Amino acid sequence: MMMKTLSFSMAFLLTFTMPAFAGDTPKADLKALLADMQHYSADFTQTVTDESQEVVHEAKGTLTMTRPDKLRWETTLPDETLLIADGEAVWNIDTFVEQVTIIDQASAVADNPVILLTSQDDETWQQFNVAHGDDNQHFIVKPLSEDGQIRSLSLTFDTGTLRSLSMHDAQSQTSRLVFDNIDTSTAPEMALFEVNVPDTYMIDDQR
């Protein structure tokens, strides 16, 4: 479930003001909208539904991201979990069983469109198609490869601020995150993306 949580989080970010669009394609529009993205923190409510639209999971927590490639995903309900991406590795910290699983971050987000929210790399952007949804505040992102866990990502903005996102995965499940208490102006402390593992914890290093 935590690997799926990573997919549902590498998400999302910035002093979001609506810039003039820099191009005549949806990808250029999205890149222009995210061009000044630096920081993003918010509370979130997550709802996961299956192919029949039945709710299979719900969660609440906080999300903190900063460019480039740093993320902290912490749930408070129904269970307390912590996932940190420090730019090099992803740390899944399970306090209940006192275990930490470590995976290579590049491998974890391969073919995952959520990476575009924190990536500044043009080569990475070339791995995805971008289309407009209902209007210029709504974008649908799909990886060119069909091998990834996430098949499509939908981003919804309101006056330049990311308000929600939805991801459809390879198991035909859809995860929708709605953000509240959004802060795009305060730079998060870098200590939030550092991991100090207690000596008593078991470490499963899969890098």
Side-chain angles (χ1 to χ4, degrees):
M1 186 64 189
M2 287 307 300
M3 282 300 296
K4 185 169 291 186
T5 297
L6 171 65
S7 298
F8 289 158
S9 62
M10 288 296 299
F12 326 94
L13 305 172
L14 70 259
T15 306
F16 259 133
T17 56
M18 178 65 75
F21 287 143
D24 57 359
T25 69
K27 182 178 290 189
D29 291 349
L30 181 58
K31 291 182 73 173
L33 185 60
L34 299 178
D36 294 328
M37 183 177 78
Q38 293 299 322
H39 318 296
Y40 185 93
S41 62
D43 298 331
F44 68 82
T45 300
Q46 178 189 20
T47 304
V48 182
T49 55
D50 62 17
E51 192 172 9
S52 301
Q53 303 303 310
E54 295 290 331
V55 175
V56 297
H57 180 69
E58 294 180 302
K60 291 185 178 182
T62 59
L63 174 69
T64 305
M65 293 191 293
T66 192
R67 279 194 164 192
D69 307 325
K70 288 183 172 58
L71 175 143
R72 180 186 178 96
W73 168 282
E74 191 167 7
T75 63
T76 55
L77 292 173
D79 302 302
E80 294 184 3
T81 63
L82 177 60
L83 183 144
I84 294 175
D86 63 12
E88 299 293 336
V90 176
W91 304 71
N92 171 18
I93 303 167
D94 190 329
T95 57
F96 181 74
V97 298
E98 296 190 346
Q99 178 172 319
V100 178
T101 302
I102 311 170
I103 59 177
D104 179 70
Q105 187 163 328
S107 299
V109 300
D111 303 320
N112 188 334
V114 177
I115 191 177
L116 300 184
L117 294 176
T118 58
S119 175
Q120 301 171 338
D121 181 46
D122 288 338
E123 185 175 343
T124 298
W125 276 79
Q126 293 174 5
Q127 299 174 27
F128 301 91
N129 285 324
V130 181
H132 278 305
D134 297 334
D135 52 43
N136 285 350
Q137 295 278 290
H138 181 204
F139 297 86
I140 299 172
V141 185
K142 295 182 178 181
L144 297 180
S145 170
E146 297 182 355
D147 296 332
Q149 173 67 20
I150 301 301
R151 297 299 171 84
S152 67
L153 166 69
S154 175
L155 303 169
T156 300
F157 296 82
D158 180 14
T159 60
T161 300
L162 182 66
R163 297 295 182 180
S164 66
L165 62 83
S166 296
M167 286 165 287
H168 187 70
D169 69 18
Q171 285 73 46
S172 296
Q173 291 189 339
T174 299
S175 176
R176 176 173 170 79
L177 283 83
V178 178
F179 301 110
D180 195 12
N181 298 322
I182 299 169
D183 183 353
T184 62
S185 60
T186 305
E189 296 182 3
M190 288 298 99
L192 290 174
F193 310 105
E194 298 174 356
V195 181
N196 295 310
V197 181
D199 294 337
T200 57
Y201 277 41
M202 181 186 303
I203 298 177
D204 178 14
D205 193 339
Q206 301 180 10
R207 290 174 291 183

